Amino acid sequence: VRLDDKLMKCAPTLDKMASVYFVDPADIPVYASYLDIRITPAVVFFFNAVHMRIDAGTPDSTKWIGAFASKQDLIDLVEVLYRSALRGKTIAKCPIDPDRVPKYDLFSAGV
């Protein structure tokens, strides 16, 4: 719920760089399986149908798992991803302080 509120509040600010869509992983089983979306909330970034990845120092660079500490963190991350995508890159270094990046353990299914 916290993540939904931050995304909705940031949507007008980010309208030149991003569109915000809320999707239930059950509605898109192919992408949920491909992107291994088992932990929610998860935020996945795309630019012109290309999956953008984030180097945030977490075990998984394909998505952002958890809530953002502040609205400005979300805005900064989207801006960095947008600028990287315009340069043709598919991965960007996360501008958020590592202390504010959600920590989690990544376990593979069936291992």
Side-chain angles (χ1 to χ4, degrees):
V1 174
R2 283 183 20 209
L3 181 62
D4 293 349
D5 292 339
K6 285 189 179 121
L7 286 169
M8 288 307 296
K9 289 177 183 173
C10 289
T13 306
L14 299 172
D15 68 346
K16 299 270 194 251
M17 294 181 282
S19 298
V20 177
Y21 297 97
F22 296 94
V23 180
D24 184 2
D27 295 339
I28 51 164
V30 173
Y31 275 105
S33 173
Y34 176 71
L35 297 170
D36 195 26
I37 299 175
R38 290 180 281 142
I39 303 171
T40 56
V43 180
V44 181
F45 299 93
F46 290 92
F47 182 81
N48 289 341
V50 175
H51 180 226
M52 297 296 295
R53 298 183 307 148
I54 310 155
D55 180 11
T58 59
D60 188 3
S61 65
T62 61
K63 58 193 162 289
W64 181 272
I65 296 176
F68 290 90
S70 71
K71 193 169 95 168
Q72 190 60 47
D73 286 345
L74 173 61
I75 293 168
D76 292 345
L77 181 59
V78 169
E79 184 177 358
V80 166
L81 285 167
Y82 179 73
R83 290 175 189 232
S84 295
L86 288 177
R87 292 184 183 107
K89 299 178 189 242
T90 59
I91 189 165
K93 178 79 172 121
C94 183
I96 300 170
D97 183 30
D99 295 335
R100 293 196 318 261
V101 175
K103 304 290 187 246
Y104 59 90
D105 292 323
L106 188 64
F107 296 104
S108 296
V111 174

